[in-house]
Amino acid sequence: MVERCTSPIVLLCLFSFSALTLAFSPCPLTGLPLVRNISEIPQDNYGRAGLSHMTVAGSLLHGMKEVEVWLQTFSPGTHTPIHRHSCEEVFIVLKGSGTLYLASDSHGRYPGKPQEHFIFPNSTFHIPVNDAHQLWNTNEHEDLQVCIRGLVRASHCSESEIPLLLG
Amino acid sequence: MVERCTSPIVLLCLFSFSALTLAFSPCPLTGLPLVRNISEIPQDNYGRAGLSHMTVAGSLLHGMKEVEVWLQTFSPGTHTPIHRHSCEEVFIVLKGSGTLYLASDSHGRYPGKPQEHFIFPNSTFHIPVNDAHQLWNTNEHEDLQVCIRGLVRASHCSESEIPLLLG
C-alpha cells in the first residue's frame, strides 16, 4: 500500500535534531504525558449499559480547543440513543459490525424515516451537522468498536436526544 | 475492556427502525457511498517520497465542513517537513514507531529547540495550534502509520513550512 522511495533528507534539519535527547515532558495544560498509551486511558460508561467510552483527546483532560477524539465500544445489542448535534462527526469502525440509522436532511422536530446502513470493520462514515442518527451493534457475536472525532463540545455544538422518529 | 450489561431498549425506537431495509445511498454531496471501505480509498504521496496519504474524510471528496481525517504511512526514514499550522491535530499511531519533534510555546519565526518524543503503536498525541513539529519514522524496520484528524483546512487554518529550527 505504501510507495517506497528514497526520501530527500534536509540535512540542516537533521543536524538540528540529532543532538536532542528523548523528552517525556508532560502536557503543560494538564500534567498528563504528551504521548499517551491508549490502552491506559480510563473508561467509563456514563450510566449507559453495554457502552465503554474513552476520551482519547478531549477538552477537559487534554486541553483540546478544537477537536475531540473518542473510542467507544458497544457490546452486542447495545446502541446510542437517537440523537443529533450541531457539529459533524467522523466514525471509523475498528472492530465488529452493526447498523447506522441516519435521517438526512430532516432537521425538524421529527426527522422522518431514517435510512439503514451496514457498517463493517475498516469502514468509515460521517454524520452531517444536525442529521438525526443512531448506531446499533446489531452483531450478536462481537463487540462493535468505533473511533469518533468531532469538534470540542463548545456552545455551538449542542446535542439533543430525540424521543421518537416519525416517518 | 467492555462492561457487559443488559441494555434498556426503547421499544418505540426499535419498532420505528425494524421495518427498514438496508440502504446503500450515496452521499448527496459527492455521489460517494456514505459508508466507505477505507481499504479502497485512493492513496497519493503528493510528490513526497516515502509517504502514502489517504483522505478518509475530507472537504473536497466527502463534503466535510468541520473536521478532516487522514491516514498517512511513512516508510522507514521518511518524515514530514518541520511545519506548523493554525489548527490542532490529533494523532493515533496505528502501526510502527518513530519520533515526534515538537517545539511548544514558540510561535516566532524561529521556534527554538524542539523536544523529542518517542511514539509507539496505540499511542496518541496532539499538536497544539501553531506549535512547530515534525514526525519521523525513525524505525528502520517498519512503516509508521498514523491517523490524523483536525479541522477542515479553512482560511483560519493555514500551514507553513519552517526552513530551519534555531535553538
Side-chain angles (χ1 to χ4, degrees):
Chain A
M1 280 172 58
V2 180
E3 294 191 43
R4 289 173 182 280
C5 312
T6 305
S7 171
I9 296 176
V10 182
L11 287 177
L12 282 175
C13 300
L14 180 64
F15 175 77
S16 171
F17 284 140
S18 64
L20 297 173
T21 54
L22 276 178
F24 297 100
S25 58
C27 170
L29 284 175
T30 62
L32 290 172
L34 178 77
V35 181
R36 301 178 297 278
N37 188 337
I38 292 177
S39 312
E40 296 170 359
I41 294 176
Q43 300 176 52
D44 202 328
N45 72 353
Y46 296 103
R48 192 171 291 277
L51 170 71
S52 162
H53 172 101
M54 270 186 201
T55 299
V56 173
S59 56
L60 288 180
L61 278 175
H62 312 112
M64 302 303 296
K65 294 180 175 60
E66 296 177 349
V67 288
E68 289 213 342
V69 178
W70 304 343
L71 197 60
Q72 291 189 337
T73 306
F74 299 84
S75 62
T78 63
H79 56 85
T80 68
I82 304 171
H83 66 294
R84 60 183 159 208
H85 29 69
S86 56
C87 56
E88 280 177 344
E89 278 180 336
V90 179
F91 285 74
I92 291 179
V93 180
L94 303 174
K95 180 184 168 190
S97 59
T99 306
L100 164 70
Y101 300 94
L102 180 69
S104 295
D105 300 324
S106 50
H107 299 166
R109 178 168 174 77
Y110 301 110
K113 197 167 185 174
Q115 285 193 305
E116 189 173 346
H117 301 270
F118 177 63
I119 61 174
F120 51 91
N122 209 33
S123 66
T124 184
F125 57 91
H126 70 273
I127 309 296
V129 172
N130 273 327
D131 277 7
H133 59 285
Q134 183 178 39
L135 199 65
W136 275 75
N137 181 354
T138 43
N139 177 339
E140 62 188 29
H141 301 294
E142 193 175 14
D143 286 346
L144 169 66
Q145 190 177 45
V146 294
C147 183
I148 310 168
R149 64 293 320 262
L151 295 186
V152 161
R153 293 181 169 276
S155 55
H156 68 286
C157 183
S158 59
E159 176 165 335
S160 61
E161 294 199 13
I162 299 167
L164 176 63
L165 292 187
L166 296 182
Chain B
M1 282 174 57
V2 181
E3 295 190 41
R4 290 174 181 278
C5 313
T6 304
S7 171
I9 296 176
V10 182
L11 289 176
L12 282 175
C13 300
L14 180 65
F15 176 77
S16 173
F17 284 141
S18 64
L20 298 174
T21 53
L22 277 178
F24 297 100
S25 58
C27 170
L29 283 175
T30 63
L32 290 172
L34 178 77
V35 181
R36 300 177 298 277
N37 188 337
I38 292 177
S39 311
E40 296 170 359
I41 294 176
Q43 299 177 53
D44 202 328
N45 71 354
Y46 296 103
R48 192 171 292 278
L51 169 71
S52 162
H53 172 102
M54 268 186 202
T55 300
V56 173
S59 56
L60 289 180
L61 278 175
H62 312 111
M64 302 303 297
K65 293 181 176 60
E66 295 177 348
V67 289
E68 289 214 342
V69 178
W70 303 344
L71 197 61
Q72 290 190 338
T73 307
F74 299 86
S75 62
T78 62
H79 55 85
T80 68
I82 305 171
H83 66 293
R84 59 183 159 207
H85 29 69
S86 56
C87 57
E88 280 177 344
E89 278 180 336
V90 179
F91 285 75
I92 291 178
V93 180
L94 302 174
K95 179 183 168 189
S97 59
T99 306
L100 165 70
Y101 300 94
L102 180 69
S104 295
D105 300 324
S106 50
H107 300 165
R109 179 168 173 77
Y110 302 110
K113 196 167 185 173
Q115 285 193 304
E116 190 174 344
H117 302 270
F118 177 63
I119 61 175
F120 51 91
N122 209 32
S123 66
T124 184
F125 57 92
H126 70 273
I127 309 297
V129 173
N130 273 327
D131 278 6
H133 60 284
Q134 184 178 38
L135 200 65
W136 276 76
N137 182 354
T138 44
N139 177 340
E140 62 187 31
H141 302 294
E142 194 176 15
D143 286 346
L144 169 66
Q145 189 177 46
V146 294
C147 183
I148 311 168
R149 65 291 323 259
L151 294 186
V152 162
R153 294 180 169 278
S155 56
H156 68 285
C157 182
S158 60
E159 176 165 335
S160 62
E161 293 198 14
I162 298 167
L164 176 63
L165 291 187
L166 296 182

